[in-house]
Amino acid sequence: MKKLNFGTIADGLNTLQNTLEQNSGIGWSELVDANTIDFAEKNSYAADDTDETIRELAEQIEVAGLLTPLGVIKEGNRYRLFSGERRYKAITTYLHWEKIPCQVFQGVTPNKAQLMLHMANGARDYTPARKLELYEEYNALLREMKSTGEFTGPIQKGVAELLNVSDRQVRTYRTMAEQLTQEEKEAVSSGSLSFGDAKQVAVERAAEEKEPEKIGTGSGFSGRSEKKTSRKKVQGWNREKIAQITLPDAKDDDPHPRLLCGGESIHCGETFKAFFPDGCWHDITLEITWDVEGPGCWYISNPEYRDICPIGLFVKRN
């Protein structure tokens, strides 16, 4: 039997519609009895549905018709949904159709069926807290698929493509998933713990774990001595040396947010004299906001300079 094309995970995910078109030799269109369709066994996306959104969708379908068929996998005499649970609920609850247009697939393993469900819901706009939950779902699924030979690409790259985030952002979610307790993750989901605060806790824990690896004792020096040497190096940076603030390399895997200046790592809270377009040097303090990802999270905490991005400025130590 011809296999479904899941190579889009390795090469960059396409939309579900493109995937269905690529697999048109396997899937077919069919009017399926509504009472023979079952929900997916694992569908955390359904938690986002409300009676109001389902009713509104039913009204839209009644006026414009079902523009996109449901995606189902045939299992014996029944069909399991992987795309369109909200549409199915709208149709069966409010419109009472006996048959529903579906795109039907057959011979799909449970893992690939779950992947198809994730692909079908990947176009939605999710909060960072929800993406943290999805990171764990995607990561677990791709690891399982890799163990069975159903997936051969890099796992974290596959997760990044499913989440539609950068490699750097997916490393942040990985750090949070590994460092936060289950109670803390639940607090992030409920909103009682902000995503920014949770992120800061996670990266600090990861940095604490990484510090012994960096300073070690295998060279014959104690960890305390090595740490003092490291601090001395930072303190000895030439105060009159002028350098430019830049971003780390895109492949940098340090979980702690940082910028570079003269080849040295710099962090939020550090102060500098910065050369501004007015031709003068001004005192600035670097700060970071945890509600924004990427370079935009960095800003100058001095109120009068809050609108100036610190990246690219030429600075010297205070």
Side-chain angles (χ1 to χ4, degrees):
M1 178 180 291
K2 187 177 178 183
K3 292 184 178 179
L4 284 168
N5 176 14
F6 286 91
T8 49
I9 286 289
D11 300 328
L13 288 172
N14 294 326
T15 62
L16 174 65
Q17 187 61 40
N18 288 341
T19 302
L20 294 180
E21 289 173 359
Q22 291 170 14
N23 296 309
S24 59
I26 310 163
W28 65 91
S29 298
E30 182 179 331
L31 281 173
V32 177
D33 288 337
N35 59 9
T36 64
I37 298 175
D38 301 315
F39 293 143
E41 293 180 2
K42 299 177 183 178
N43 183 10
S44 61
Y45 304 99
D48 300 329
D49 297 339
T50 65
D51 291 340
E52 182 179 358
T53 59
I54 292 171
R55 184 175 61 254
E56 289 176 351
L57 180 57
E59 293 171 354
Q60 295 172 11
I61 294 174
E62 187 174 29
V63 172
L66 184 64
L67 301 180
T68 305
L70 308 185
V72 298
I73 296 169
K74 189 171 184 179
E75 300 175 344
N77 295 324
R78 301 194 65 80
Y79 302 79
R80 189 167 300 279
L81 273 169
F82 70 85
S83 172
E85 182 167 324
R86 188 187 304 177
R87 280 167 282 154
Y88 175 84
K89 290 176 180 177
I91 290 169
T92 56
T93 303
Y94 295 101
L95 303 180
H96 309 294
W97 293 2
E98 293 184 0
K99 293 182 179 290
I100 304 176
C102 295
Q103 185 77 10
V104 184
F105 296 84
Q106 193 170 21
V108 179
T109 67
N111 282 337
K112 286 187 177 178
Q114 191 67 20
L115 179 58
M116 292 170 76
L117 183 146
H118 288 314
M119 292 171 67
N121 289 276
R124 297 186 188 183
D125 188 19
Y126 299 109
T127 65
R130 178 65 176 129
K131 285 183 177 180
L132 176 59
E133 296 175 347
L134 292 175
Y135 169 86
E136 297 198 279
E137 287 189 42
Y138 296 163
N139 185 58
L141 175 61
L142 292 186
R143 287 187 182 281
E144 172 65 22
M145 294 183 71
K146 191 147 191 171
S147 70
T148 60
E150 298 173 280
F151 176 73
T152 58
I155 290 176
Q156 293 306 307
K157 182 173 178 59
V159 173
E161 289 168 349
L162 282 167
L163 282 174
N164 193 27
V165 300
S166 68
D167 291 346
R168 181 178 291 274
Q169 287 174 309
V170 87
R171 287 200 298 269
T172 296
Y173 290 116
R174 180 182 63 190
T175 299
M176 295 179 72
E178 293 173 349
Q179 298 295 335
L180 296 178
T181 66
Q182 187 58 39
E183 291 75 15
E184 288 167 338
K185 293 174 187 176
E186 291 172 358
V188 173
S189 297
S190 67
S192 58
L193 174 62
S194 75
F195 182 85
D197 289 343
K199 178 179 176 181
Q200 185 169 10
V201 168
V203 296
E204 287 176 354
R205 287 175 184 168
E208 289 172 1
E209 288 183 358
K210 196 170 184 180
E211 187 66 20
E213 297 177 8
K214 287 184 176 180
I215 62 180
T217 57
S219 62
F221 293 97
S222 69
R224 183 179 297 274
S225 298
E226 288 289 337
K227 197 167 185 178
K228 284 183 179 178
T229 301
S230 176
R231 287 180 178 172
K232 184 176 180 181
K233 184 178 181 181
V234 173
Q235 292 171 351
W237 191 50
N238 188 345
R239 290 172 180 260
E240 293 303 316
K241 178 182 177 182
I242 299 175
Q244 189 175 30
I245 296 177
T246 61
L247 290 168
D249 188 274
K251 297 180 180 178
D252 176 56
D253 62 354
D254 191 324
H256 202 287
R258 66 191 182 110
L259 294 171
L260 297 179
C261 189
E264 299 285 350
S265 295
I266 57 175
H267 304 86
C268 59
E270 296 197 42
T271 61
F272 301 90
K273 282 192 177 295
F275 190 74
F276 280 7
D278 62 4
C280 299
W281 291 92
H282 300 269
D283 292 330
I284 66 168
T285 301
L286 294 181
E287 194 51 79
I288 191 170
T289 175
W290 298 100
D291 298 325
V292 177
E293 296 183 343
C297 69
W298 290 94
Y299 67 95
I300 298 172
S301 64
N302 310 60
E304 63 271 34
Y305 308 135
R306 285 291 294 267
D307 294 333
I308 299 176
C309 177
I311 299 170
L313 289 178
F314 286 92
V315 299
K316 57 185 178 182
R317 287 282 185 183
N318 277 329

